[in-house]
Amino acid sequence: MRKPDPVDWRCGILDVLEAAALHGHHAEIRLDGRWRRVRVLDVLSEGGDDWLLTDDGQRIAVRSIEMARPVPA
């Protein structure tokens, strides 16, 4: 049986974060094994890295986010 191709989960994380930013919603992100709910203001690309900007002014490197999931409105 063929081994599945490796998956780049950052694409799915970016999709969730960008959709939350577009609609002004919250998202849940997993950092260091713990889930956090954040309101996503924007997702920025700077210097080759992607950054999550939250409503309280935090900038979180997308590469440090283990998982993300939408929060129903």
Side-chain angles (χ1 to χ4, degrees):
M1 179 167 217
R2 185 169 98 78
K3 193 174 186 179
D5 294 331
V7 176
D8 185 354
W9 293 106
R10 289 173 298 171
C11 293
I13 290 171
L14 280 172
D15 289 341
V16 169
L17 297 176
E18 288 173 344
L22 180 65
H23 299 290
H25 290 169
H26 285 88
E28 290 184 341
I29 59 172
R30 187 172 167 166
L31 291 168
D32 300 322
R34 294 183 5 190
W35 286 97
R36 288 179 47 191
R37 182 177 288 207
V38 295
R39 180 173 294 277
V40 181
L41 281 187
D42 203 356
V43 180
L44 310 168
S45 291
E46 186 176 288
D49 286 324
D50 295 312
W51 297 89
L52 163 63
L53 180 62
T54 66
D55 66 339
D56 63 358
Q58 281 189 301
R59 283 177 61 131
I60 301 169
V62 172
R63 64 178 146 71
S64 68
I65 299 172
E66 299 160 1
M67 300 172 103
R69 59 186 177 204
V71 175

